[in-house]
Amino acid sequence: MTNLRIFSLWTTLTWGAAILVGIPVFVVLSYIFTPSSELWSHLFATVLPRYVANSLWLMLGVGSGTLLLGVATAWLVTMTRFPGHRFFEWALLIPLAIPAYVIAFTYTGLLEYSGPIQTMLRDWFGWRSASDYWFPQIRSLWGAIIMMTLVFFPYVYMLARASFLEQSATVLEASRTLGCGAWKSFFLVALPLARPGIAGGLALVLMETLNDFGTVDFFAVDTFSTGIYRTWLGMGNVAAAAQLGAVMMLFIFSLILLERWSRGMSKTERSSRADRIASRHTLSGWQGMAASLVCALPVFFGFFLPVAAMGYWTITTWDFVDSRFFAMAYNSFALAGLAAFVAVIVAVILAYGHRLQPSRGKSIALRFASLGYAIPGAIIALGVMIPFTYLDNIAANFFREHWNISTGQLFTGTWLALIFAYLVRFLSVSLNTVEASLAKITPNMDGAARTLGHSASSTLMKVHAPLMRGSLFTALILVFVDVMKELPATFMMRPFGLETLAIRSYEMANDGFLIQSASSSLAIVAVGIIPVILITLAIRGSRAAH
């Protein structure tokens, strides 16, 4: 009877947490069925075609660029040996540490008319004004595509490399004995076998592209993210913003299906994997130099050059690292720390509740609750603010009628609403980590603990928690870093007067103070390196185990 009560308690907690986190998604999707023929006619006649076209061009451009860079570099460092290949194995991941909006601010500072590049060219060639020469406009659709490609290609690189590492040497050697050269074996054998992993990486890239707000807003490229922001906060039309968000989610769901399909295909491919990995082919002479150059260029332009520029600008504008800077850093760390702690607690409730009484319904609820990572921050913000505003109105009416008290905003524009938005957005990060850790603990340990008189909660605290300590810390760090870098939800939902490092970087860049924004951007990048180190260590560990 006691066990039944405990299971009911955990089941209630699991379903309650899953439904609570899923509410914002339900809210936005519900607007699909809201009748609004006039609204849609207006959107079709004005902004919708531009939002769709720009979003598709961005996805096409960033997808093509990341595929080219990610697959080529993954193949080179996995299947060949050339000068510096061990360095590039991990170095190709570090552009992930830079948010897309930060690299956009940095390159704009480098390439704008008053920046060092154009100033140097004018000094060299004696040009006196912009009319004397042509220079590519960085603040454009193509500029946004290049910026996002430089920081998103590691997603494709990471998963493509994992796929290449898992390929059987026997299959590749068989293709060689049939007369295929290195390039022909790559295109006819290795690339098709790695296709599921590459598709998974591409889906992640496209989700990040749709999620981006800072880059496209700064470059004045109208997409769904900027459209939701302008429709909601600029025009004050919540219904139209929600319907734009609902249309955008159709794109997201198609990408989720692509990612799920790639996972299914990966399992199929792994079932036929041999126990011997392919040997590396040595590249020497000009071939080795060319391979080093191909890997060096994205690392240099995607990390070292922008970080060096930010470091130099931070030194030259050191006065901006003042008490206000540290107050913003405190806000960023406090928000990220609280959100990470809550996300790990909720992830443990969901994963452990499902482990105690697994069911298909609960499994679907968990997957739905973890959809937030695929949904752009602008939509999450909208989905959180609509019900919170409704609660605010109910509370205000109640207190006014009964006690003639004006309550103001109890939910919207508070840290509570912001942390809840972070929870919805990044729960998937902590949930996947906790689920993977729990799966490594054999159910026999649960049974042994129960025979010794431990309850389900006691088993979690005294048996599972010590074994999961490392994974829980990893989940905490990953969510912490994601919240530090997050911009759209923070920008749209922040309490009045609250400033964070991401907000400071964005606002100063938008006001034209690109060099002065470097210190905030550099602090975000420094924190962003932590998960890259964790990923690198995990890959090395898995390879050593293999």
Side-chain angles (χ1 to χ4, degrees):
M1 190 66 182
T2 302
N3 288 346
L4 185 60
R5 282 202 304 270
I6 291 171
F7 282 145
S8 298
L9 171 66
W10 278 99
T11 299
T12 304
L13 286 173
T14 306
W15 276 104
I19 292 171
L20 186 67
V21 175
I23 284 176
V25 181
F26 276 119
V27 167
V28 175
L29 285 177
S30 67
Y31 276 83
I32 292 178
F33 306 103
T34 302
S36 53
S37 56
E38 292 183 2
L39 174 64
W40 277 108
S41 300
H42 175 70
L43 289 176
F44 269 113
T46 54
V47 294
L48 193 58
R50 188 166 69 251
Y51 292 161
V52 173
N54 284 341
S55 297
L56 290 177
W57 275 115
L58 266 179
M59 293 169 68
L60 181 64
V62 177
S64 303
T66 53
L67 273 181
L68 187 64
L69 279 181
V71 174
T73 52
W75 171 260
L76 286 172
V77 300
T78 307
M79 296 298 187
T80 66
R81 186 180 288 110
F82 56 91
H85 74 272
R86 289 195 179 280
F87 166 75
F88 289 118
E89 282 181 0
W90 65 266
L92 284 162
L93 288 171
I94 54 177
L96 273 179
I98 303 183
Y101 59 86
V102 167
I103 200 170
F105 302 158
T106 307
Y107 271 102
T108 302
L110 288 172
L111 299 175
E112 66 179 356
Y113 180 76
S114 59
I117 304 296
Q118 291 202 51
T119 301
M120 182 177 64
L121 290 174
R122 287 196 298 273
D123 290 341
W124 279 0
F125 295 100
W127 296 325
R128 295 186 177 181
S129 66
S131 60
D132 293 337
Y133 61 97
W134 175 85
F135 197 83
Q137 178 57 259
I138 181 70
R139 298 181 71 169
S140 63
L141 176 64
W142 290 107
I145 289 173
I146 293 171
M147 295 299 104
M148 292 187 200
T149 299
L150 283 174
V151 293
F152 292 158
F153 84 88
Y155 286 112
V156 177
Y157 162 78
M158 191 163 44
L159 294 181
R161 181 165 176 253
S163 297
F164 289 141
L165 281 171
E166 292 173 346
Q167 287 182 2
S168 164
T170 308
V171 175
L172 295 175
E173 288 168 2
S175 71
R176 296 289 187 90
T177 60
L178 293 173
C180 293
W183 286 108
K184 203 168 183 180
S185 293
F186 169 69
F187 284 109
L188 295 182
V189 180
L191 197 57
L193 286 176
R195 188 174 54 196
I198 295 170
L202 179 63
L204 292 174
V205 166
L206 297 181
M207 287 179 197
E208 291 288 348
T209 303
L210 283 174
N211 177 50
D212 180 83
F213 170 77
T215 309
V216 292
D217 184 62
F218 184 65
F219 282 1
V221 177
D222 292 333
T223 63
F224 277 109
S225 289
T226 57
I228 291 170
Y229 170 73
R230 290 170 189 165
T231 308
W232 175 20
L233 298 179
M235 301 168 58
N237 194 334
V238 176
Q243 291 201 328
L244 281 175
V247 173
M248 188 175 176
M249 286 180 69
L250 297 179
F251 285 84
I252 298 295
F253 286 144
S254 63
L255 294 175
I256 292 172
L257 290 176
L258 172 65
E259 194 267 341
R260 297 293 177 195
W261 170 80
S262 72
R263 284 194 191 187
M265 290 294 289
S266 294
K267 290 177 183 175
T268 304
E269 299 295 346
R270 279 199 293 271
S271 65
S272 60
R273 186 183 65 185
D275 57 358
R276 185 166 65 89
I277 62 174
S279 58
R280 293 173 183 266
H281 176 66
T282 301
L283 299 176
S284 57
W286 71 269
Q287 290 181 326
M289 295 298 292
S292 299
L293 186 64
V294 167
C295 293
L297 287 176
V299 177
F300 177 75
F301 289 108
F303 184 80
F304 288 112
L305 178 60
V307 167
M310 283 187 278
Y312 176 73
W313 290 338
T314 299
I315 293 172
T316 58
T317 59
W318 190 251
D319 291 345
F320 281 79
V321 186
D322 51 10
S323 58
R324 190 181 170 202
F325 172 88
F326 288 108
M328 293 175 193
Y330 171 79
N331 289 336
S332 296
F333 277 79
L335 279 171
L338 284 171
F341 179 75
V342 172
V344 171
I345 295 295
V346 173
V348 169
I349 291 173
L350 290 172
Y352 191 60
H354 184 48
R355 178 187 174 97
L356 288 175
Q357 279 191 322
S359 68
R360 185 170 180 79
K362 215 180 282 184
S363 179
I364 293 173
L366 260 62
R367 297 283 73 81
F368 191 82
S370 60
L371 272 178
Y373 196 70
I375 298 174
I379 297 179
I380 299 288
L382 195 61
V384 171
M385 290 299 281
I386 290 173
F388 273 40
T389 303
Y390 180 71
L391 291 176
D392 265 341
N393 291 334
I394 291 177
N397 292 333
F398 179 82
F399 281 97
R400 190 180 302 115
E401 289 178 6
H402 291 80
W403 295 288
N404 196 26
I405 297 175
S406 176
T407 56
Q409 294 180 331
L410 296 177
F411 301 100
T412 54
T414 62
W415 280 47
L416 173 67
L418 196 52
I419 289 173
F420 180 62
Y422 292 147
L423 172 65
V424 176
R425 178 85 173 87
F426 300 118
L427 176 64
S428 175
V429 177
S430 56
L431 182 59
N432 288 340
T433 309
V434 172
E435 279 188 318
S437 180
L438 270 177
K440 294 176 185 173
I441 301 174
T442 172
N444 293 335
M445 297 189 73
D446 296 54
R450 304 304 290 274
T451 57
L452 293 173
H454 288 286
S455 64
S457 301
S458 176
T459 302
L460 173 65
M461 296 301 295
K462 295 184 177 178
V463 178
H464 292 152
L467 293 173
M468 296 166 59
R469 191 181 305 149
S471 297
L472 294 177
F473 181 71
T474 301
L476 197 75
I477 291 294
L478 291 176
V479 176
F480 180 91
V481 174
D482 273 335
V483 174
M484 285 284 293
K485 294 160 62 176
E486 208 282 337
L487 177 62
T490 310
F491 186 67
M492 297 178 191
M493 299 183 58
R494 59 177 169 154
F496 180 75
L498 177 71
E499 292 183 291
T500 65
L501 292 175
I503 295 292
R504 175 188 171 101
S505 179
Y506 171 77
E507 289 188 335
M508 294 197 78
N510 259 343
D511 291 339
F513 298 104
L514 290 166
I515 294 176
Q516 289 80 358
S517 71
S519 53
S520 305
S521 300
L522 192 61
I524 297 170
V525 173
V527 175
I529 290 177
I530 296 174
V532 176
I533 295 173
L534 292 175
I535 292 171
T536 304
L537 292 176
I539 291 174
R540 285 187 177 177
S542 64
R543 193 173 186 183
H546 183 83

